[in-house]
Amino acid sequence: DRNDRNDNHRQSFNQRSSQRKVIETDNDGFAVVKSGKGRPAGPAGPGGPGMMRQSSSSTSINTPARRSSTEPRQVLSPKGMASLRPNSSSSTAILAPNKGGSNGASDAGGSGGGSGGGSSLAPFSREKLERRITNIRSEFMQDPDNVKELLLSMDDLAGTPKAGFTLVQKNADRIMDCKDNERKAINEMIVLLYQKNKLSKSDVGDGIAEIVEFVESFVLDSPRAFEYIADTISSIMNAGAVDVAWLIEQAEKTKIDGAEAAERIVKETIIAYSTKYGKSTAQDVFNKSADKLAVLLGDDKWTSVASAVLS
């Protein structure tokens, strides 16, 4: 029996060893890493001569195609983007060179927070936008020091309405179901994009608001949901993207199902803020709004919370 098990292990190992990782580029410009037995594609293959091609049953993982930090960046004009779409009569993309000194979206509205007016970039479909957002997060986690790449990736979204809001919203959903290191990276990424004027206050506040309102619905599957969202709120609050008035407004919405959620959101946010930025800083921030917090929670509840986490 033991020999049979060893044979099975060896056979399984040999099968895994015979599989190759194959890198292709899909129609959206992502590097697609596939595993399985590959064979050389002919001249008309999806990756061109010498690339490996997989059957449609292969499992693929989309990862962003990285570019050198010194590589000149070119942006597809609307005509060039159209030439890459199916059934296009043109076979060659037309590239529009960057204008010197332009950072893509340094206005107060953020990169994707506004209507996209004035941008020469074609808007992404919802599906493509969400894939790009996932890849921006993955790429930032792999190399958080490469701020230039992060900002360039956000510039790619400049032609898509509400892209900044959607990026925050999708990442807010993600913080409820990820590991601590990814959650930390998400918070850092959102704060950095806000500080670099790639996200507006409305992008951040509105993008986080929904998950705050419905935080109780996550508790069954994620018992620490209040801690997770409080950690994010404390980060964006310290950056100036939201304030205590915003927190009170969002906490008020949770009271439709009872007062407990509002109390927990406020309490956990103060704890997170105090832990990261110091109790004296937290006292300065929250005691200024003590009267409004007392209205939100009730005098007795606010006194109890303040005594527990601010004293």
Side-chain angles (χ1 to χ4, degrees):
D1 290 342
R2 183 180 181 84
N3 289 335
D4 288 342
R5 287 198 299 271
N6 286 336
D7 288 341
N8 289 336
H9 286 312
R10 280 194 294 271
Q11 184 178 4
S12 176
F13 175 79
N14 289 335
Q15 287 175 346
R16 292 195 301 270
S17 298
S18 66
Q19 293 179 338
R20 303 175 183 177
K21 287 187 177 180
V22 182
I23 300 178
E24 299 176 2
T25 302
D26 66 10
N27 290 334
D28 294 332
F30 292 112
V32 181
V33 182
K34 297 186 176 182
S35 61
K37 293 182 179 180
R39 57 184 176 84
M51 290 294 292
M52 301 297 291
R53 181 172 59 199
Q54 294 298 316
S55 67
S56 58
S57 61
S58 298
T59 301
S60 64
I61 303 173
N62 282 344
T63 59
R66 300 184 65 83
R67 51 182 169 262
S68 167
S69 60
T70 59
E71 177 185 349
R73 181 179 178 81
Q74 291 179 308
V75 182
L76 285 172
S77 68
K79 184 174 180 181
M81 293 293 289
S83 70
L84 297 180
R85 299 190 185 104
N87 303 322
S88 171
S89 59
S90 173
S91 59
T92 305
I94 300 175
L95 295 175
N98 276 346
K99 295 182 179 180
S102 172
N103 65 4
S106 60
D107 65 338
S111 174
S115 63
S119 173
S120 63
L121 296 175
F124 289 175
S125 66
R126 179 78 180 189
E127 180 182 0
K128 183 175 178 180
L129 174 61
E130 291 180 1
R131 289 204 309 273
R132 284 291 175 94
I133 288 170
T134 298
N135 279 276
I136 288 172
R137 178 175 66 242
S138 299
E139 192 170 49
F140 181 76
M141 287 184 63
Q142 292 170 13
D143 190 4
D145 294 328
N146 194 348
V147 177
K148 181 178 180 180
E149 178 69 20
L150 174 65
L151 302 183
L152 289 174
S153 295
M154 281 301 294
D155 288 345
D156 289 341
L157 309 183
T160 305
K162 301 190 74 173
F165 161 81
T166 306
L167 180 140
V168 176
Q169 184 184 57
K170 291 300 177 184
N171 280 289
D173 290 342
R174 180 68 180 167
I175 66 173
M176 292 299 182
D177 187 28
C178 67
K179 295 182 179 180
D180 289 344
N181 64 326
E182 183 173 358
R183 189 174 301 106
K184 180 175 181 289
I186 288 172
N187 292 343
E188 291 175 351
M189 181 181 70
I190 291 174
V191 167
L192 183 58
L193 289 173
Y194 172 73
Q195 292 173 335
K196 296 295 184 179
N197 294 322
K198 300 299 180 182
L199 293 173
S200 67
K201 285 189 174 184
S202 61
D203 288 334
V204 179
D206 294 348
I208 296 287
E210 185 176 271
I211 200 169
V212 178
E213 181 178 356
F214 298 104
V215 63
E216 264 192 319
S217 65
F218 293 92
V219 173
L220 183 62
D221 295 324
S222 182
R224 297 177 62 193
F226 281 94
E227 295 176 45
Y228 296 154
I229 191 60
D231 184 48
T232 297
I233 293 172
S234 66
S235 294
I236 61 176
M237 184 179 291
N238 184 66
V242 300
D243 55 18
V244 178
W246 175 91
L247 175 64
I248 292 172
E249 180 184 356
Q250 307 314 315
E252 182 69 39
K253 297 175 184 177
T254 70
K255 291 170 68 175
I256 191 171
D257 297 320
E260 182 181 353
E263 179 185 351
R264 290 190 66 184
I265 288 171
V266 171
K267 185 175 182 178
E268 293 295 344
T269 299
I270 296 174
I271 291 173
Y273 200 103
S274 179
T275 300
K276 288 192 284 188
Y277 309 112
K279 180 168 285 188
S280 61
T281 305
Q283 289 170 340
D284 290 342
V285 170
F286 290 94
N287 282 337
K288 291 177 181 177
S289 301
D291 292 344
K292 294 179 180 178
L293 288 164
V295 172
L296 171 71
L297 303 180
D299 289 333
D300 292 342
K301 286 287 186 182
W302 168 242
T303 301
S304 175
V305 168
S307 176
V309 297
L310 282 178
S311 298

